[in-house]
Amino acid sequence: MAQPTVNVAGYLANQKKTTNKELAAEWAALEDLYNEKLWNELTIKLNKFVHHASMQDEDALLQLYQNFLQTFEMKINPYGLVEIVEVIVEHITDKKEAIEFLTKIKDKVKICDEAVWYTQVLQGNIYLSSLNDLDACKKIIEELRDTLEDVGNVTPVHGKYYMLASQYYRRVGKHSDYYRCGLQFLGCSIDDYPKDQWAQQAFCLGLAALLGEGIYNIGELLAHPILAALKGTENEWLIELLKAFNTGDLKKFNDMKPTWSKIPDLLAHEIKLRQKISLLCLMEMTFKRSATQRSITFEDIAQETQLPLKEVELLIMKALALDLVKGEIDQVAGVVNMSWVLPRVLDRKQIAGMATTLDNWMTSINSMEKLMESRAAEILTN
């Protein structure tokens, strides 16, 4: 991309000769803003103009950059510059050349951290989608991860980064990382995410929640509005399956097997799924009990999880090792005394159960208070 001698006036004059009156007016408006040095207004205008139907061509966009934009690119907002450049690199046929182009832009916008991060994300997208260079994409994701986490606030780049990271992890089959980055992306950019893609994203996130290692807070996805996009589709059943996992409902899981087993990934990991829902079942059993009733017998656990009695202790030990629950096993009595369960995002039914537990707790406190009042004279006398 050698830079020719720049003649801005001549370039703009030639562009205004178009027979398209609407397009000619656009070029005239750009010329006026340029001559008046209204750089902010010019940036906004250019950001819209590069999406014009007449500009959806590699040569047209490169000519715009070389003969016009590059003459004042150091005077405009760096982040705005990268937004314009994003459209240009999308149309560059040689993607290695696009990477080099972005590298040069990155040097020019180094005074603005967000603009630099933006160019890196754009490079990552090219490495992933066009060049299939997973190592280069991974390097960018890892470089930006700590940087963006340490920023302290959500920037416009965060959503773009999490989309890149989620696409990468989906490609390499890392379900847990895909799930976490996918949710983080939605948390940053849900308003800008095309509605027609909600159902597909919800389906992929749902499968990742089920298959991902260490994903036990499924309520976080159930509470997200994107999941409603599955209603009325052929994948609506996934909502019910996620609810079954969230509450550790083994019966519902088994009843739905004819449906979920049609998904190859789920069928291939059936044993893993049963282990996961059994752990969630144990967590739910612990959560439902009051603090004074958390001595759970092995027989009760075996019945709820539909496991052989001899496998119950192994299930409890795994839950303890994963820090899903805390407690002590009494092998002689065949019980486990639970003292804590991992906090999770709760659905309405679980919240209602917690409210009932709190009501019972308050009733116990009031009863104790009345008992102490009635026995106060006796206590003070003694």
Side-chain angles (χ1 to χ4, degrees):
M1 288 187 288
Q3 296 179 1
T5 302
V6 178
N7 180 0
V8 175
Y11 171 73
L12 293 175
N14 285 332
Q15 301 306 313
K16 288 190 296 180
K17 291 178 181 179
T18 178
T19 56
N20 185 325
K21 293 183 179 180
E22 182 266 336
L23 182 58
E26 290 288 323
W27 282 108
L30 289 173
E31 183 178 38
D32 290 341
L33 293 173
Y34 174 77
N35 290 333
E36 294 176 20
K37 296 182 172 56
L38 298 174
W39 306 126
N40 184 56
E41 290 82 354
L42 182 55
T43 304
I44 296 172
K45 184 70 175 177
L46 269 176
N47 207 337
K48 295 180 180 178
F49 184 68
V50 290
H51 291 92
H52 194 280
S54 67
M55 299 302 294
Q56 304 312 298
D57 174 76
E58 177 181 0
D59 184 63
L61 287 168
L62 288 178
Q63 288 294 323
L64 176 69
Y65 175 77
Q66 294 167 354
N67 293 297
F68 186 52
L69 178 56
Q70 74 168 354
T71 64
F72 58 87
E73 61 186 352
M74 302 303 291
K75 299 176 182 178
I76 66 176
N77 180 282
Y79 193 88
L81 172 61
V82 180
E83 286 183 311
I84 297 169
V85 166
E86 179 179 7
V87 180
I88 297 174
V89 296
E90 284 177 356
H91 288 80
I92 295 178
T93 306
D94 186 337
K95 294 307 178 183
K96 290 184 178 179
E97 189 176 346
I99 292 289
E100 294 176 4
F101 185 68
L102 285 168
T103 299
K104 294 176 181 177
I105 293 296
K106 184 168 65 174
D107 291 336
K108 295 177 181 180
V109 299
K110 57 187 177 183
I111 61 171
C112 174
D113 288 339
E114 291 181 13
V116 172
W117 303 334
Y118 194 174
T119 58
Q120 289 179 278
V121 169
L122 294 178
Q123 288 179 318
N125 282 324
I126 294 174
Y127 281 129
L128 181 65
S129 303
S130 302
L131 299 177
N132 199 32
D133 190 340
L134 298 181
D135 290 336
C137 181
K138 179 183 179 182
K139 183 179 180 182
I140 289 174
I141 290 172
E142 291 178 344
E143 285 178 355
L144 286 176
R145 181 190 300 126
D146 293 338
T147 301
L148 294 179
E149 287 180 355
D150 292 340
V151 170
N153 62 292
V154 177
T155 71
V157 184
H158 276 75
K160 303 178 190 297
Y161 167 77
Y162 288 127
M163 171 54 84
L164 169 64
S166 65
Q167 290 177 333
Y168 167 78
Y169 290 128
R170 181 181 174 187
R171 174 82 70 85
V172 299
K174 292 188 175 182
H175 301 296
S176 300
D177 291 326
Y178 166 71
Y179 176 75
R180 294 187 181 98
C181 288
L183 282 183
Q184 287 173 307
F185 163 73
L186 294 177
C188 298
S189 306
I190 186 64
D191 294 334
D192 301 325
Y193 196 54
K195 290 274 187 177
D196 59 353
Q197 297 181 29
W198 278 35
Q200 179 62 28
Q201 181 74 352
F203 180 71
C204 292
L205 284 172
L207 294 184
L210 298 175
L211 295 169
E213 292 285 348
I215 304 296
Y216 297 98
N217 191 4
I218 297 175
E220 190 173 9
L221 177 59
L222 286 170
H224 201 286
I226 196 172
L227 209 60
L230 291 176
K231 293 182 178 179
T233 70
E234 60 181 358
N235 295 317
E236 185 173 359
W237 57 268
L238 184 57
I239 300 175
E240 295 305 313
L241 186 60
L242 288 168
K243 289 179 179 178
F245 268 76
N246 193 48
T247 57
D249 190 340
L250 268 296
K251 183 180 183 304
K252 192 172 185 179
F253 173 71
N254 290 326
D255 291 343
M256 292 186 66
K257 184 175 180 179
T259 302
W260 61 256
S261 61
K262 294 178 183 178
I263 306 299
D265 281 350
L266 296 182
L267 183 60
H269 295 88
E270 181 177 357
I271 295 176
K272 179 180 175 181
L273 291 174
R274 289 190 179 279
Q275 292 173 342
K276 185 169 193 172
I277 197 170
S278 295
L279 288 167
L280 286 163
C281 179
L282 179 60
M283 293 174 68
E284 188 70 9
M285 290 179 70
T286 305
F287 173 75
K288 286 180 177 178
R289 285 165 167 74
S290 66
T292 58
Q293 297 176 332
R294 286 191 171 174
S295 291
I296 311 174
T297 66
F298 287 8
E299 287 82 2
D300 286 345
I301 295 174
Q303 183 177 356
E304 288 287 333
T305 60
Q306 301 180 13
L307 288 173
L309 188 60
K310 63 181 181 180
E311 295 182 16
V312 169
E313 188 173 355
L314 290 174
L315 176 70
I316 298 170
M317 291 173 66
K318 185 168 184 178
L320 291 170
L322 292 172
D323 288 329
L324 301 179
V325 295
K326 291 181 181 179
E328 295 181 352
I329 299 174
D330 187 337
Q331 292 176 314
V332 177
V335 300
V336 58
N337 299 305
M338 297 296 194
S339 58
W340 177 86
V341 61
L342 181 71
R344 296 178 293 160
V345 176
L346 307 177
D347 60 24
R348 292 181 181 273
K349 187 175 180 180
Q350 290 170 318
I351 293 174
M354 177 178 282
T356 301
T357 300
L358 289 173
D359 287 340
N360 293 336
W361 182 51
M362 290 300 297
T363 300
S364 298
I365 291 175
N366 291 333
S367 297
M368 181 59 69
E369 183 180 10
K370 291 177 181 178
L371 176 62
M372 292 183 68
E373 287 176 353
S374 65
R375 303 290 293 273
E378 181 182 341
I379 294 173
L380 292 173
T381 303
N382 294 334

